[in-house]
Amino acid sequence: MEGALREAVELGRSILGQGAVATYIPELAKADPSALAAAYCGMDGKTISAGDEGTKITVQSISKVASLGLALNICGEETVFSKVGVEPSADPFNSIMRLEMRAPHRPQNPLINSGAILVLSLLPFSDSTERLEAVLDTMRRMSGNEGLRVNEAVAASEKDTSDRNRSLGYFLRSVEAMDGDVENILDSYFRQCAIECSVEDLAAMGATLACGGVNPLTGEQVFPERTALILRALMMTCGLYDGSGDFAVRVGFPAKSGVGGGIMGSVPARAGVAVVGPALDKRGNSIGGVRTLEMLSESLSLRVL
Ligand code: GLN
């Protein structure tokens, strides 16, 4: 297993030069584009990693899986999916275009920015810190790592450069797709995106979803089986934004990416498989990470399709 991870990371490294770190959030531009790591967490909770496994990234969009799971737990499937769709979007993750062009004006799915912001608005918290704490607690339980924290410098940087996300929030409210205090909702969105983690944390989170919602490290049922299934299904169809189809063909298991360079993969009843590599492709997915997962999928026969 260790050999397979090492070999896949080395292959991923060979194309890192073709990618670039995200710069639209200035604090993310400080990430090391040459870092790459992979981890595998089996159903026994044993985690093996390779490469630059000490690298810390912020989860960014991967947090959308946790907040959606929390909303499904608290509000129920029917309420959540009456407000946000479950169809893939062929547009970039922060696109506003489809929201305006098609009625009803609801986000295409919960894993693009507009959908994730709307999902947060459904949670029964009026205080942004309480809302954030609930999402953070969910991620801690998914990863089994009580030490997960918000990187406040990244959160502040996101807030400073948030014109697009504010546009999405205010547009949603203007068409009455979303209720609530937009600034307050966005504050918890920026901070949940800035939760810091390692590749091993991501692998454990993926394993929890693979294990029907039970964290294999702690034995805790974090999500009911139905919620884990919905999350995996949406990761499979929408997890890499407008790169989801390409990822399904090349890698073939549910995964969720973030612009911090993480990808959390979940192979049902088998493992959580994750990568961390801040150099991104044009769609905002880890370029070396996708290549690494492609190789691992092949060498460990992880494809579910
Ligand atoms: N915080 C980022 C944003 O809202 C998350 C996007 C991403 O990871 N694709 O722009």
Side-chain angles (χ1 to χ4, degrees):
M1 175 63 67
E2 230 177 305
L5 287 170
R6 248 198 320 265
E7 208 182 323
V9 168
E10 284 323 308
L11 183 72
R13 278 197 206 286
S14 65
I15 58 162
L16 289 180
Q18 294 168 35
V21 300
T23 52
Y24 76 104
I25 299 169
E27 201 65 24
L28 293 184
K30 296 181 182 167
D32 177 4
S34 68
L36 191 63
Y40 181 102
C41 177
M43 295 295 88
D44 54 1
K46 201 164 154 252
T47 308
I48 302 166
S49 55
D52 307 308
E53 64 250 41
T55 307
K56 290 273 178 145
I57 54 145
T58 51
V59 285
Q60 297 296 330
S61 279
I62 299 168
S63 66
K64 295 167 180 171
V65 176
S67 47
L68 175 62
L70 178 65
L72 290 168
N73 276 1
I74 296 179
C75 313
E77 192 177 332
E78 211 175 306
T79 302
V80 172
F81 296 129
S82 68
K83 299 280 187 182
V84 57
V86 289
E87 298 302 334
S89 134
D91 306 318
F93 61 81
N94 56 4
S95 178
I96 198 164
M97 181 177 66
R98 211 179 266 253
L99 264 187
E100 186 181 21
M101 287 178 53
R102 285 219 199 132
H105 302 288
R106 58 171 203 174
Q108 193 81 356
N109 69 67
L111 301 184
I112 51 175
N113 289 14
S114 55
I117 293 166
L118 192 137
V119 163
L120 277 183
S121 78
L122 302 177
L123 295 174
F125 305 103
S126 52
D127 182 74
S128 81
T129 303
E130 263 179 52
R131 193 183 300 110
L132 179 272
E133 288 294 335
V135 177
L136 180 56
D137 177 62
T138 306
M139 282 188 42
R140 285 176 176 155
R141 291 160 60 198
M142 288 173 76
S143 63
N145 182 356
E146 274 296 314
L148 290 188
R149 296 270 176 281
V150 174
N151 178 325
E152 297 293 350
V154 173
S157 187
E158 297 226 17
K159 189 171 177 172
D160 281 350
T161 52
S162 57
D163 290 351
R164 180 67 74 103
N165 286 321
R166 292 183 128 81
S167 310
L168 293 170
Y170 282 104
F171 183 83
L172 286 170
R173 203 177 62 175
S174 75
V175 292
E176 294 172 4
M178 182 171 95
D179 297 323
D181 178 337
V182 177
E183 296 297 328
N184 175 299
I185 294 162
L186 286 174
D187 271 346
S188 41
Y189 174 74
F190 301 138
R191 294 187 72 212
Q192 78 166 50
C193 287
I195 293 169
E196 205 162 55
C197 71
S198 68
V199 73
E200 297 198 347
D201 295 325
L202 292 179
M205 288 167 60
T208 295
L209 298 176
C211 204
V214 177
N215 182 325
L217 286 88
T218 62
E220 185 191 353
Q221 182 99 44
V222 182
F223 301 118
E225 200 163 338
R226 170 82 185 161
T227 300
L229 180 151
I230 294 172
L231 297 175
R232 291 197 311 265
L234 283 164
M235 285 160 63
M236 188 79 243
T237 51
C238 315
L240 276 82
Y241 322 110
D242 45 334
S244 300
D246 181 59
F247 188 84
V249 170
R250 289 174 57 194
V251 181
F253 55 76
K256 180 74 203 88
S257 63
V259 290
I263 304 178
M264 169 185 75
S266 181
V267 185
R270 177 113 183 248
V273 189
V275 286
V276 155
L280 309 178
D281 63 20
K282 287 190 299 290
R283 290 158 164 154
N285 297 318
S286 172
I287 193 163
V290 173
R291 188 75 189 92
T292 300
L293 290 177
E294 186 178 18
M295 165 108 197
L296 281 176
S297 178
E298 177 80 31
S299 60
L300 303 175
S301 302
L302 299 175
R303 187 176 278 283
V304 297
L305 300 164

